[in-house]
Amino acid sequence: MRAVNVAILNPVFAVVFGGAFVLSVAAVVASWGSSAAPWLLASTLLYVVGAFVVTGVVNVPLNDALAEGDDVRSLRAAFERRWVASNHVRSALTTAALVCAAVGATRC
């Protein structure tokens, strides 16, 4: 997990992670006033909460604590359950965001 946390901090990931937000906002703006707009807005909001809020509030602090600790067993016991639960929340929210984006795309 420590290796993943180090490897993920790279320019390609940053472009994909941030680019999805930028493109979703652009889609909302471009579709404003159409029947696609509410779906694309919902998609953007779900993505922001799932990808940015949950990651920033739960996963990043847990990853930082993991990087700083020495006792692997106690770290895993404290880390794993909360990280996995928040990852399920992120997955559900970003999947819902994708579904909303797909529905919105069919209404353009």
Side-chain angles (χ1 to χ4, degrees), residues 38-70:
W39 289 98
L40 297 173
L41 181 59
S43 174
T44 301
L45 294 174
L46 287 164
Y47 180 71
V48 167
V49 172
F52 290 102
V53 174
V54 173
T55 299
V57 171
V58 180
N59 294 91
V60 169
L62 290 174
N63 291 348
D64 291 346
L66 180 65
E68 295 171 7
D70 292 325

